[in-house]
Amino acid sequence: MIMAIEYGLVPNESFESLYSEICLSHNQVKQMLNHYLNSIRNMTIQLNEETLIKLTKGQVVDVLLENLKRKEIVELIHMLTLINERQSDVSSYLIYILSGILAYKEKKGFK
């Protein structure tokens, strides 16, 4: 939550309308994602019966930054803030997001 407050990402009723107005540098976004992924070293994602993908924390951050639009990244950070406030684990949520991204890329033939 401290990172969210520092960058003006305190959840409130009007937060969703502000997604596009929040100014964060690439390095700030990367720092925030790394902060929320602090407990994750590696992630394993099962796309289908044949495809198992293993990602390091750095690769997870790179996949998110390369494949999500700016507004989607800010929304993701907001969701990670809420999950962190509940003292819950972010890995299930991230696996859900990454599964969608990686399945889309696989379907389109990207590596």
Side-chain angles (χ1 to χ4, degrees), residues 33-51:
L33 288 173
N34 277 310
H35 170 75
Y36 289 116
L37 302 179
N38 194 31
S39 63
I40 298 170
R41 290 190 182 182
N42 297 302
M43 292 188 101
T44 303
I45 299 168
Q46 182 87 38
L47 290 183
N48 53 46
E49 291 179 13
E50 303 89 33
T51 309

Side-chain angles (χ1 to χ4, degrees), residues 13-45:
E13 294 171 17
S14 61
F15 188 80
E16 291 179 23
S17 64
L18 298 175
Y19 284 147
S20 59
E21 297 175 18
I22 294 174
C23 296
L24 295 171
S25 71
H26 179 79
N27 287 336
Q28 288 172 319
V29 169
K30 200 169 186 175
Q31 179 186 11
M32 291 182 81
L33 288 173
N34 277 310
H35 170 75
Y36 289 116
L37 302 179
N38 194 31
S39 63
I40 298 170
R41 290 190 182 182
N42 297 302
M43 292 188 101
T44 303
I45 299 168

Side-chain angles (χ1 to χ4, degrees), residues 16 19 74-84 90 93:
E16 291 179 23
Y19 284 147
V74 175
E75 289 176 17
L76 174 64
I77 291 170
H78 179 228
M79 292 301 123
L80 295 175
T81 301
L82 295 175
I83 292 168
N84 195 41
V90 298
Y93 183 69

